[in-house]
Amino acid sequence: KQEVTQIPAALSVPEGENLVLNCSFTDSAIYNLQWFRQDPGKGLTSLLLIQSSQREQTSGRLNASLDKSSGRSTLYIAASQPGDSATYLCAVRRGGGSARQLTFGSGTQLTVLP
Amino acid sequence: GAGVSQSPSNKVTEKGKDVELRCDPISGHTALYWYRQSLGQGLEFLIYFQGNSAPDKSGLPSDRFSAERTGESVSTLTIQRTQQEDSAVYLCASSFGVRGNSPLHFGNGTRLTVT
């Protein structure tokens, strides 16, 4: 059974800092990995999706990397802003078969202090 | 609309009552998913639809839970004889295509409270 772990559970940084959020998964036979952010009382917003054949994806100040063999992904946020404060979730979709559901980590709650 | 729409946004019900939650996916999205998010917990997969068929119902926690989908449109999640442990945020997501390589788009969820 796939298990997804995110460390740290919570992180507080001053505005302007670069930061890294970590995600690890136990079964490397994944189809893709997706990073989301969730604001309080809201649904999830997709940030980046990395296919299993890719090593990284970039969108603006966000960069996500994937090392499938070691079961790890990182989300790098450059020049953090208070508006980046949210919970960040990673999720993996397993490879093969007809199953399409994602397995989620418990998230990292990020607070960027002005 | 432009995004996934869920209704109601909040629902308070008494233990033992039935509830029905609704999800309108993004137009053209063939895949639809239901997840549950309990306080302090990660997202728990419930059921997945491809069109109006459900290839994967493995996450439904009990036979009190059921879901339907009309074509490639609206889905309803029904919980019968609600229990307090059913209290959670129920999230719906949709995605385009069948190959699983398109991102999921989530609604804002329905917050269910069973008293």
Side-chain angles (χ1 to χ4, degrees):
Chain A
K1 178 185 174 184
Q2 179 74 272
E3 293 183 3
V4 180
T5 303
Q6 291 188 247
I7 295 173
L11 179 65
S12 182
V13 300
E15 181 177 5
E17 273 204 7
N18 303 325
L19 58 101
V20 174
L21 307 180
N22 296 291
C23 172
S24 62
F25 44 95
T26 55
D27 186 348
S28 62
I30 66 169
Y31 192 86
N32 58 40
L33 182 145
Q34 197 166 352
W35 282 93
F36 296 87
R37 70 173 278 168
Q38 185 174 30
D39 293 283
K42 301 290 186 181
L44 280 67
T45 300
S46 178
L47 298 173
L48 290 163
L49 183 148
I50 310 177
Q51 300 295 344
S52 62
S53 58
Q54 297 176 322
R55 294 299 298 259
E56 65 178 339
Q57 282 285 330
T58 298
S59 176
R61 294 182 294 108
L62 305 179
N63 176 278
S65 69
L66 174 64
D67 184 343
K68 198 173 76 163
S69 60
S70 67
R72 294 179 184 175
S73 175
T74 61
L75 179 67
Y76 175 83
I77 303 177
S80 59
Q81 302 172 357
D84 296 331
S85 298
T87 296
Y88 289 80
L89 295 146
C90 72
V92 297
R93 173 174 275 164
R94 76 180 194 211
S98 62
R100 291 290 180 261
Q101 73 271 25
L102 299 176
T103 302
F104 282 83
S106 295
T108 293
Q109 187 173 1
L110 173 66
T111 303
V112 181
L113 303 170
Chain B
V4 177
S5 178
Q6 291 187 247
S7 61
S9 55
N10 281 284
K11 177 71 176 179
V12 180
T13 190
E14 293 181 352
K15 178 181 173 181
K17 300 285 189 184
D18 297 352
V19 295
E20 193 172 276
L21 313 180
R22 176 186 170 108
C23 173
D24 284 272
I26 293 172
S27 178
H29 279 193
T30 58
L32 185 147
Y33 310 75
W34 283 97
Y35 283 84
R36 177 168 73 174
Q37 188 174 34
S38 303
L39 187 64
Q41 303 292 317
L43 272 80
E44 175 189 10
F45 169 77
L46 298 178
I47 188 170
Y48 149 76
F49 285 93
Q50 183 59 48
N52 63 2
S53 67
D56 192 346
K57 304 179 184 179
S58 62
L60 294 177
S62 77
D63 58 8
R64 296 186 295 106
F65 287 71
S66 63
E68 294 182 339
R69 188 179 184 194
T70 305
E72 294 183 352
S73 182
V74 172
S75 176
T76 55
L77 177 69
T78 302
I79 309 173
Q80 295 178 310
R81 305 181 302 282
T82 52
Q83 304 294 313
Q84 288 184 332
E85 61 262 29
D86 299 334
S87 297
V89 176
Y90 289 82
L91 291 163
C92 174
S94 68
S95 68
F96 177 76
V98 300
R99 291 176 54 84
N101 60 355
S102 61
L104 269 65
H105 298 266
F106 279 81
N108 286 336
T110 293
R111 182 175 298 278
L112 175 65
T113 304
V114 182
T115 61

